[in-house]
């Protein structure tokens, strides 16, 4: 077997054999296949696709590159959620404690942000003392005790994906449905959850720009889950405008705490409760209403215990940016455009995100939205706040917002958040 034959096969639109897939994923993980060869193969896959059988085998090969976690009996059904990523998408933060408060256990192994979408670990690291890295034993103990864990993936979980994802990120090969589906599902299957709910986003702030592409991705992931005996449901949700009013690490933690205390923006509450309902169905818990549990404050109690179990102080003040500026309306009218991608890039440039894996993020940087799509505004009215510790980042952030935030005369309302569900 050699890498060139595999690359040429996919370049010429052939179906890869099981042996080719097993060999190339394993050889790449061990460093026998070089980065430039895997980059060429990833591009050939992006351009020519893989069929369902190839995707299933590729996923299995990535799972087999590392260990499958086994938490043992934690006394509750295990159920997890994964979002394909968006702007202001802090849903994991209120969702994990909410589902735990309803009786399931949530092993949420998460990543850091790269590009314009934020990472869950970066958000939680804005809480003083909070620790992302836990051993498998610590995760199991916290699942049994608290019912919810949000932490970094362990180093032995799907190492082929870690290496390949970093390569795709710098070779323009992220937006391939077979590669995204196998990347996400290999990690979730290796994590050992019993049920999985996927939040597959579409719109300017998402990887998938249209509902049609999002549905294709959702169907590919649900098919992989079903083939592996993992109960999987996907919700298709809008990401053309940011979720909630806060974009940026500490800003999103603060908004999540508002939701856990029974308040917060309506769209964040709606999506949190909708995902919780789907997770509870997969966990076989049908007699608990997550909306009531959220309003009761029980999810907030689990949040406090979950943060404290990982060394964080849930009562400590969150970092505040050294510099805050407003973007104001240049004319009177209706806010008709609040583009998720533009706001994600602005927040990233203010310091909330990183350009390279090694970069540090600013805990307090980001964007706070002061008005919503459809709101009437007067000329000079503040539309958003730009938060940063490095004021020289502001011109770049303002440039990113050019055309992405628009006041005009057309009546407008927020797009529908929940489009559809794909069930296994
Ligand atoms: N998230 C992942 O984990 N993998 C991808 O390929 C894309 C998003």
């Amino acid at each position: 077997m050699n890498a060139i034959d595999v690359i040429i096969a996919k370049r010429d639109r052939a179906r890869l054999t099981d042996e080719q897939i097993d060999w190339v994923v394993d050889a790449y993980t061990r460093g026998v296949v070089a980065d430039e060869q895997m980059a060429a193969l990833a591009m050939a896959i992006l351009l020519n696709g893989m069929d369902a059988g190839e995707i299933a085998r590729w996923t299995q090969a990535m799972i087999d590159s590392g260990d499958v976690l086994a938490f043992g009996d934690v006394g509750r059904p295990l159920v997890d959620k994964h979002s394909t990523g968006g702007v202001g998408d802090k849903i994991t933060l209120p969702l994990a404690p909410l589902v735990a408060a309803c009786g399931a256990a949530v092993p949420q192994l998460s990543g850091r942000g790269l590009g314009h979408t934020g990472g869950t670990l970066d958000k939680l690291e804005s809480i003083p003392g909070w620790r992302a890295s836990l051993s498998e034993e610590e995760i199991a103990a916290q699942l049994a005790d608290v019912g919810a864990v949000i932490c970094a993936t362990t180093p032995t979980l799907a190492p082929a994906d870690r290496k390949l994802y970093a390569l795709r990120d710098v070779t323009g090969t992220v937006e391939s449905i077979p590669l995204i589906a196998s990347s996400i599902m290999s990690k979730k299957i290796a994590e050992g959850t019993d049920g999985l709910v996927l939040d597959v986003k579409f719109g300017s702030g998402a990887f998938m720009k249209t509902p049609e592409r999002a549905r294709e991705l959702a169907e590919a992931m649900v098919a992989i889950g079903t083939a592996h005996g993992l109960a999987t449901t996907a919700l298709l949700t809008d990401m053309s405008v940011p979720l909630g009013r806060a974009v940026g690490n500490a800003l999103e933690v603060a908004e999540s705490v508002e939701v856990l205390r029974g308040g917060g923006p309506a769209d964040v509450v709606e999506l949190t409760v909708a995902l919780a309902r789907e997770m509870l169905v997969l966990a076989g818990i049908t007699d608990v209403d997550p909306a009531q549990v959220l309003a009761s404050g029980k999810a907030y109690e689990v949040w406090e215990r979950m943060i404290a179990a990982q060394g964080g102080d849930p009562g400590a003040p969150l970092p505040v940016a050294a510099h805050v500026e407003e973007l104001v309306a240049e004319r009177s009218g209706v806010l008709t455009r609040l583009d998720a991608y533009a706001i994600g890039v602005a927040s990233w440039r203010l310091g909330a995100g990183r350009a390279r894996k090694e970069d540090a993020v600013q805990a307090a940087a980001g964007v706070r939205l002061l008005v919503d799509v459809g709101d009437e505004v007067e000329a000079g009215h503040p539309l958003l706040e730009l938060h940063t510790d490095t004021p020289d980042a502001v011109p770049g952030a303002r440039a990113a917002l050019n055309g992405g935030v628009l006041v005009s005369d057309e009546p407008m309302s927020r797009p529908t958040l929940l489009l559809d569900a794909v069930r296994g």
Side-chain angles (χ1 to χ4, degrees), residues 10 27 30 69 100 233 251 257 264-265 274 308 322 328-329 334 356 375 393 395 402:
K10 192 41 81 181
R30 289 185 293 111
L69 301 186
T233 298
L251 294 171
V257 168
V328 300
V334 177
R356 290 171 311 152
D375 287 354
N402 221 339

Side-chain angles (χ1 to χ4, degrees), residues 15-97:
R15 189 183 182 285
L16 298 182
T17 65
D18 290 352
E19 293 70 30
Q20 283 175 318
I21 291 172
D22 293 350
W23 178 82
V24 82
V25 171
D26 175 60
Y28 178 59
T29 311
R30 289 185 293 111
V32 171
V33 167
D35 272 347
E36 57 271 26
Q37 293 177 310
M38 194 49 136
L41 180 58
M43 185 58 83
I45 291 170
L46 181 136
L47 295 173
N48 295 331
M50 289 203 285
D51 68 21
E54 288 173 290
I55 298 174
R57 191 72 183 204
W58 189 278
T59 307
Q60 188 60 51
M62 300 233 284
I63 297 169
D64 293 343
S65 72
D67 298 335
V68 174
L69 301 186
F71 300 123
D73 182 10
V74 300
R76 308 157 180 234
L78 289 169
V79 62
D80 197 7
K81 161 265 187 183
H82 182 87
S83 159
T84 56
V87 177
D89 184 2
K90 73 278 295 169
I91 301 293
T92 292
L93 276 52
L95 180 64

Side-chain angles (χ1 to χ4, degrees), residues 9 31 69 86 137 139-140 145 154 156 166 188 216 228 252 277 329 343 363 374 377 399:
L69 301 186
E137 293 70 33
I139 299 172
D145 183 28
T154 60
T156 57
K188 291 297 165 184
E216 232 185 288
H228 280 85
E252 293 191 40
R277 278 193 210 292
I343 291 163
V377 293

